[in-house]
Amino acid sequence: MSSTQKLHVLFACSEAEPLAKVGGLGDVAGALPAEIMRTAGEQVDIRLIIPFHAVIKQKNPPVGLIGSFPIKTKAGQLLCDLYVTDLDGVITYLLDSDGINHNSPVYYGDASLDGRKYAQFSVALLEAMRFIDWQINILHANDWHSALAVYALKDLYQADPFFIHTKAILTVHNLPYNGFGADAAMTDLGFTPCRDPDLPDWARLTPLPLGLAAADRIVTVSPGYAEEILTPDYGCGLDGFLRLHQEKLSGIVNGIDLEKWNPETDEYIGHPYSIDRLHSKQLNKLDLQRELGLEMNPELPLFTVVSRLDFQKGIGLIFDAIPDLAHQNWQLVILGTGAKELEERARDIAAAYPHKIISIQKYDDVLSHKLYASGDIFLMPSLYEPCGLSQMIAMRYGNIPVARATGGLKNTIIDFYASPENATGFLFAEKSAEGLKNALESALNVFKNKQIWYRLQRNAMSADFSWRRSALQYLQIYQELSQNSI
Ligand code: ADP
Ligand code: GLC
């Protein structure tokens, strides 16, 4: 690549913080493109595209309308509006149309409505590039919501000179969410079932597997998860396909936004602190205890959970394990919403132990900062975890994770028993309440030894979770792919 020839990269995603965030995917799209831009300097022009969700409209960010263009459907055509805004210096396009927006939530939670929204988004984002005449070298898609754009390059646009040099990378943040239910919308947009013999039959009109089949490179968000998805236990029926195509699969661990998540400058907490001023962390605990009506005692170990209440997160293990520890002194605060059954169990257990356990069922960014800052022990017993950001945020706040040894948790937490001197948390392997209970008991024991606990906190707080490392690895892939594309 010559110095005058910038690599054009389009980063496509369903959410991006601070415009729209449902989970870690929003954190990633809100931070990674900007970090890639800063790291690459003049070499890369990276832009972001997301749907113009209702929640973004409510925030009323400064946007400019670029114009309108059609995408073809069986019934005729669908008019799309393209807007532009700025996200941390990254040119960010917002796509709107009846199908993509409809004043809709980021995710409807209904397979066919989401299928239609994101199938149209995937085609429209490519047409948007033609509309502004910005030829892309690399399409960087994320999860099933934009995976169809990758497949479209091979299926709908195979012979289109505008996309002839476009290479595609697909980052998988969560394999089980494959976009099942999009087939009607796909047929309407002119997609044909994929004939790749390596794919299972159920996948021939399913967005994520089609993206995997069409992508030049597949990245998942940790090396640990990249290995796990090659096995039937974690592969969601795609492990066979992935094993056959291992050469294009790798894992890159996410980072966290070190400015947003900084205990020294955090505006949402009453008492900023650092490794050298950890006594102030206890003042945050006292604040939280007061705010939630818990006994105010800085010596009591405070367990915290900040999570979607989802099967994935192993939340049920917490409810099963915690009664066995009830004879010990601790407090537990759970912040999260999600599956009705888990919300109900969280309410029940909080009612059963009113002086120990509080369940707060909402999405609350400010409160999440307070929990990370006040907590001593962060619970993350995920059944599977592609990367996980919460545990990295917790560590940055000296809130020591107790987590299952899976996916990105394995790659980001150093286990106390594997390496006591360098440890940043506690890992357990068994997918059981017993496994979690034993790990929590270990953590409670170590917590009593102030010196060792301080070492854990110091290690955790000084770990490098910057986006820079991930950005460099993605850039390496962009460069490898672009060698043949321009
Ligand atoms: P996932 O994306 O699977 O939900 P991650 O650990 O990657 O898990 O990211 C979760 C992100 O969502 C973190 O930034 C976490 O702080 C945030 N989060 C989860 N639940 C809540 C909540 N109830 N209120 C505020 N933030 C939350
Ligand atoms: C998904 C995964 C989570 C990961 C996040 C960002 O939501 O569940 O493990 O951290 O994406 O990549």
Side-chain angles (χ1 to χ4, degrees):
M1 201 186 352
S2 82
S3 57
T4 50
Q5 239 178 341
K6 279 193 176 189
L7 199 66
H8 289 185
V9 181
L10 184 67
F11 192 98
C13 201
S14 51
E15 40 180 298
E17 215 217 3
L19 295 170
K21 167 175 160 180
V22 175
L25 186 56
D27 294 79
V28 174
L32 179 59
E35 189 62 36
I36 290 175
M37 187 185 72
R38 282 190 287 269
T39 307
E42 286 304 297
Q43 293 178 59
V44 172
D45 184 351
I46 182 165
R47 303 183 185 183
L48 173 67
I49 190 158
I50 61 172
F52 202 170
H53 304 291
V55 69
I56 306 180
K57 292 188 173 149
Q58 280 152 22
K59 288 183 185 153
N60 201 17
V63 295
L65 174 66
I66 298 180
S68 304
F69 62 90
I71 59 171
K72 283 192 218 115
T73 65
K74 286 256 161 73
Q77 58 180 37
L78 181 76
L79 206 60
C80 301
D81 299 324
L82 186 66
Y83 295 82
V84 67
T85 187
D86 171 276
L87 207 158
D88 198 9
V90 174
I91 294 175
T92 299
Y93 299 109
L94 300 167
L95 254 181
D96 203 7
S97 84
D98 264 3
I100 293 163
N101 169 48
H102 245 339
N103 281 326
S104 60
V106 178
Y107 311 114
Y108 287 97
D110 173 286
S112 69
L113 290 178
D114 281 327
R116 190 184 60 156
K117 172 170 176 164
Y118 286 106
Q120 290 177 352
F121 171 63
S122 295
V123 173
L125 70 90
L126 293 175
E127 284 300 336
M129 296 302 102
R130 194 203 303 281
F131 177 62
I132 58 169
D133 196 21
W134 197 65
Q135 233 171 338
I136 48 179
N137 304 105
I138 312 263
L139 169 67
H140 186 162
N142 289 273
D143 272 354
W144 76 267
H145 321 101
S146 47
L148 273 185
V150 178
Y151 182 56
L153 290 173
K154 294 269 162 74
D155 188 31
L156 304 180
Y157 297 106
Q158 201 178 23
D160 189 321
F162 191 78
F163 295 108
I164 206 87
H165 294 303
T166 305
K167 300 279 178 186
I169 152 171
L170 176 59
T171 296
V172 178
H173 300 259
N174 210 326
L175 192 68
Y177 293 83
N178 58 31
F180 218 71
D183 43 350
M186 289 176 63
T187 307
D188 187 43
L189 288 162
F191 282 101
T192 55
C194 181
R195 287 194 295 272
D196 187 333
D198 297 344
L199 278 179
D201 279 343
W202 62 264
R204 303 201 178 284
L205 267 179
T206 308
L208 187 68
L210 295 180
L212 297 176
D216 297 291
R217 292 290 289 269
I218 303 167
V219 173
T220 184
V221 283
S222 69
Y225 195 55
E227 274 173 31
E228 285 173 346
I229 58 178
L230 299 176
T231 67
D233 274 0
Y234 293 87
C236 306
L238 294 169
D239 47 294
F241 172 85
L242 291 166
R243 280 195 301 276
L244 287 171
H245 296 276
Q246 263 186 73
E247 76 294 340
K248 62 175 184 178
L249 170 68
S250 59
I252 299 180
V253 172
N254 292 324
I256 55 170
D257 183 335
L258 298 180
E259 276 174 32
K260 175 176 177 190
W261 303 109
N262 183 351
E264 284 188 69
T265 54
D266 195 325
E267 287 171 2
Y268 297 142
I269 61 176
H271 309 277
Y273 60 94
S274 62
I275 302 180
D276 306 319
R277 280 186 295 123
L278 269 172
H279 53 277
S280 296
K281 181 171 169 61
Q282 301 216 332
L283 301 178
N284 291 303
K285 180 167 20 173
L286 283 170
D287 280 359
L288 189 78
Q289 288 169 329
R290 184 186 311 109
E291 194 176 324
L292 300 179
L294 287 166
E295 179 191 339
M296 288 176 63
N297 178 352
E299 296 301 317
L300 277 182
L302 174 61
F303 295 134
T304 44
V305 177
V306 179
S307 180
R308 291 186 289 121
L309 298 188
D310 187 276
F311 169 77
Q312 168 190 350
K313 303 290 175 182
I315 300 292
L317 301 186
I318 301 178
F319 304 137
D320 294 339
I322 216 79
D324 285 348
L325 298 173
H327 58 284
Q328 301 205 40
N329 262 338
W330 44 258
Q331 296 167 334
L332 164 64
V333 181
I334 304 169
L335 172 63
T337 58
K340 292 284 155 276
E341 184 205 322
L342 293 172
E343 288 186 352
E344 204 174 302
R345 288 195 71 191
R347 276 195 296 272
D348 287 351
I349 201 155
Y353 301 95
H355 304 295
K356 280 174 117 77
I357 304 180
I358 304 273
S359 160
I360 305 164
Q361 305 202 340
K362 58 178 172 174
Y363 186 94
D364 187 331
D365 196 36
V366 175
L367 199 51
S368 78
H369 283 249
K370 293 184 181 174
L371 257 67
Y372 287 121
S374 340
D376 298 300
I377 298 172
F378 191 80
L379 275 56
M380 203 153 166
S382 308
L383 303 185
Y384 75 94
E385 195 61 73
C387 179
L389 304 177
S390 307
Q391 81 283 6
M392 293 193 260
I393 302 171
M395 284 186 267
R396 181 136 166 90
Y397 283 78
N399 190 346
I400 300 303
V402 169
R404 237 197 103 234
T406 182
L409 298 173
K410 269 193 310 204
N411 295 128
T412 54
I413 299 169
I414 304 174
D415 176 40
F416 183 74
Y417 291 102
S419 181
E421 289 297 317
N422 306 313
T424 56
F426 296 82
L427 289 172
F428 65 98
E430 314 78 27
K431 258 188 207 174
S432 68
E434 187 68 14
L436 173 62
K437 189 193 91 178
N438 293 339
L440 286 175
E441 271 177 340
S442 304
L444 286 172
N445 277 332
V446 178
F447 182 76
K448 290 180 193 140
N449 184 323
K450 293 257 178 309
Q451 249 182 330
I452 300 184
W453 196 259
Y454 175 65
R455 192 175 68 212
L456 271 162
Q457 288 183 303
R458 198 186 49 213
N459 291 343
M461 291 174 80
S462 43
D464 177 8
F465 295 128
S466 69
W467 271 113
R468 177 56 61 110
R469 291 191 314 178
S470 334
L472 283 166
Q473 293 175 68
Y474 277 109
L475 271 171
Q476 168 84 29
I477 295 181
Y478 292 170
Q479 256 138 18
E480 283 164 19
L481 287 179
S482 71
Q483 262 148 34
N484 306 324
S485 86
I486 48 178

